[in-house]
Each structure stands twice: as structure tokens, then as C-alpha cells.
């Protein structure tokens, strides 16, 4: 089992920045690919970004490309999501997740473990 705990969410004005962190514990060897998803009220959960453990390959949703950066510190078993130039439409609960797969995955069902989520609110 892998436990994931997100932190760093909050309220920010449009154009501002936030950095989310996700600390993994337990059987962290199973967290080969780490991802971020988000879910806004009344909407389905959507892929945001992902990064692999082996070579830090990354993938981003088109809506965040160029504004968000995903990174990981394997020694600390932590993954980060740096969010810049935030927009009101980025408002959502952000979830960290871990997959046993080696490749970047953009589908939620490919992830085996999920955190509780952290709220990000961007005011206009």
C-alpha cells in the first residue's frame, strides 16, 4: 500500500502561483509514475500532469501546458506541482495519485493509489 498526502492548496488571485506537494509513504517502490488530477464542482475528474520515477518523463494536459510544472524528488518520495499564471478555471480539488506502471499515464483508472485532495481556489 502507498499513502499519499497532498499539501499546498489555498486561495490565490488570478495570475498568481501555488506549489502543491504530495508526500508518499508505505510501499513507495510501487509509485513508479505519479500524477495529478483535478475535479471542479459538477465536473468529472480530469488529468493535469504526470511524471515517471525512472527518467522523469512528463505529460501535461493541454489546458495547463506552459503554466504548470510537475517534478519529483525520489529521495524524499515527494512529487510537486508548480502552478503559475493561475486562472479562475483552475479552481478545483487537486488529487495526487500513484501508479505501478512505468510509463506516464493520463487515465485515472491507470492509477492505483490516491490522496485525499487539496482545494485550490483562484479568484478573478
Amino acid at each position: 500500500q502507498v499513502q499519499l498526502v497532498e499539501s499546498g492548496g489555498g486561495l490565490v488571485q488570478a495570475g498568481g502561483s501555488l506549489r502543491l506537494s504530495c508526500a508518499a509513504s508505505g510501499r513507495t517502490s510501487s509509485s513508479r509514475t505519479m500524477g495529478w488530477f483535478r475535479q471542479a464542482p459538477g465536473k468529472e475528474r480530469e488529468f493535469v500532469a504526470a511524471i515517471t520515477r525512472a527518467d522523469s518523463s512528463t505529460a501535461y494536459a493541454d489546458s495547463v501546458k506552459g503554466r504548470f510544472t510537475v517534478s519529483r524528488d525520489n529521495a524524499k518520495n515527494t512529487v510537486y506541482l508548480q502552478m503559475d499564471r493561475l486562472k479562475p478555471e483552475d479552481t478545483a480539488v487537486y488529487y495526487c495519485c500513484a501508479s505501478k506502471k512505468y510509463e506516464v499515464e493520463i487515465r485515472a483508472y491507470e492509477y492505483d493509489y490516491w490522496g485525499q485532495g487539496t482545494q485550490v481556489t483562484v479568484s478573478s
Side-chain angles (χ1 to χ4, degrees):
Q1 285 288 343
V2 177
Q3 294 78 43
L4 302 171
V5 178
E6 304 99 333
S7 61
L11 173 64
V12 64
Q13 286 189 329
S17 298
L18 280 175
R19 189 195 197 201
L20 304 183
S21 299
C22 173
S25 61
R27 193 167 182 172
T28 56
S29 60
S30 295
S31 56
R32 298 185 180 104
T33 292
M34 301 290 291
W36 289 95
F37 283 71
R38 66 187 182 186
Q39 187 166 18
K43 295 188 176 181
E44 293 187 354
R45 191 170 297 191
E46 64 175 0
F47 171 75
V48 176
I51 185 168
T52 62
R53 171 189 289 271
D55 60 3
S56 293
S57 295
T58 58
Y60 295 93
D62 287 342
S63 59
V64 306
K65 203 171 292 185
R67 300 188 298 121
F68 290 11
T69 303
V70 62
S71 61
R72 67 188 295 168
D73 184 335
N74 290 334
K76 295 182 178 179
N77 293 313
T78 300
V79 65
Y80 305 96
L81 185 68
Q82 177 67 41
M83 305 186 293
D84 298 318
R85 290 183 281 139
L86 282 160
K87 304 175 181 179
E89 51 263 44
D90 294 318
T91 295
V93 176
Y94 283 71
Y95 297 90
C96 173
C97 49
S99 172
K100 299 175 184 177
K101 304 234 174 138
Y102 290 96
E103 305 295 327
V104 287
E105 301 290 347
I106 65 171
R107 291 167 289 269
Y109 64 78
E110 300 286 4
Y111 289 85
D112 305 284
Y113 308 101
W114 292 82
Q116 301 270 30
T118 185
Q119 176 71 47
V120 170
T121 303
V122 185
S123 63
S124 56

